[in-house]
Amino acid sequence: MGKFTVDPSIQARMHQYQIVGRAAPTPKNPTPKIYRMRLFARNVVLAKSRFWYFMKKLNKAKKSGGELLAVNELYDRSPTKVSNYGIWLRYESRTNTHNMYKEFRDVTINGAVGKLYSEMAGRHRAQPGSIQIINTAILKPSQCRRDHVKEMHDKKLKFPVVRKLPMVVKKLRTTYKANRPTTFVR
């Protein structure tokens, strides 16, 4: 276990896939239209399933009557730099379908989408299957709309340095002190 490990059950490890496919060629239509989709899923199997879910809606092509031409995982160019991500989505609630726009700060698009899924589950009780990501974009600081993202753009932003102090010797410990203890190292 490293110093900054995160419990894997907390984070939904999302991956970005590019899937290219089409309906199977038939005598009636020997060269069907080819479709390319960028999809977010936890693994390749779920990404392929999502692809056929959308293909069924687009042009009545099912997995049994279609073919995949390519399945590639997409990676971020600089996964060490924090970026602002804008995500447009639609999801089905218990009553209706809603369009939504959300912003996140993360080092990768996969991390931002993972945050999106956990936020949608927490705030809106949305199941991952009912969420459709329409578009994602990397935003410049001037393009950001949400306050929780904009507040991180301040150049003078500072965080307190928290240092853990060793516990006081058992002999000198008390419940009440006359003077306030120093909780920082000088």
Side-chain angles (χ1 to χ4, degrees):
M1 295 290 281
K3 194 173 181 182
F4 299 105
T5 55
V6 178
D7 183 10
S9 64
I10 295 169
Q11 277 189 319
R13 295 296 319 140
M14 301 306 288
H15 299 274
Q16 187 179 14
Y17 296 98
Q18 175 183 280
I19 300 181
V20 182
R22 64 179 184 175
T26 58
K28 201 174 185 181
N29 186 8
T31 55
K33 197 173 179 184
I34 296 171
Y35 290 89
R36 180 173 65 92
M37 292 183 203
R38 263 188 327 130
L39 299 164
F40 291 93
R42 294 182 95 165
N43 55 41
V44 183
V45 177
L46 291 173
K48 287 178 186 175
S49 173
R50 281 310 264 173
F51 176 79
W52 290 117
Y53 167 80
F54 288 118
M55 282 293 280
K56 213 184 296 179
K57 288 188 165 196
L58 283 169
N59 63 357
K60 297 180 182 174
K62 296 194 301 187
K63 186 180 177 184
S64 58
E67 59 185 3
L68 291 178
L69 304 174
V71 179
N72 305 314
E73 187 172 349
L74 302 176
Y75 299 97
D76 277 307
R77 288 197 181 119
S78 57
T80 54
K81 195 178 107 221
V82 177
S83 299
N84 308 310
Y85 293 99
I87 302 173
W88 289 263
L89 67 130
R90 68 190 284 222
Y91 82 99
E92 288 176 36
S93 68
R94 293 187 186 106
T95 55
N96 208 347
T97 305
H98 308 278
N99 292 319
M100 212 175 263
Y101 167 76
K102 288 193 169 286
E103 286 179 2
F104 298 95
R105 276 176 67 82
D106 208 291
V107 289
T108 63
I109 187 74
N110 296 343
V113 170
K115 283 181 181 175
L116 167 85
Y117 275 103
S118 63
E119 184 175 308
M120 291 300 291
R123 287 185 199 266
H124 305 284
R125 301 290 184 267
Q127 298 295 317
S130 68
I131 299 169
Q132 297 176 10
I133 295 172
I134 297 165
N135 189 21
T136 60
I138 297 173
L139 306 173
K140 294 179 191 135
S142 60
Q143 295 174 315
C144 292
R145 300 183 222 167
R146 304 290 184 253
D147 288 334
H148 68 93
V149 174
K150 283 164 100 173
E151 70 184 359
M152 303 304 269
H153 297 155
D154 186 12
K155 295 281 184 221
K156 298 174 192 165
L157 186 68
K158 291 181 180 178
F159 295 98
V161 179
V162 179
R163 295 188 183 92
K164 289 188 177 177
L165 289 175
M167 286 188 84
V168 181
V169 185
K170 188 92 173 172
K171 188 171 66 178
L172 301 172
R173 271 186 223 167
T174 58
T175 308
Y176 302 106
K177 275 271 192 215
N179 54 352
R180 186 174 275 181
T182 55
T183 56
F184 57 90
V185 180
R186 288 191 187 140

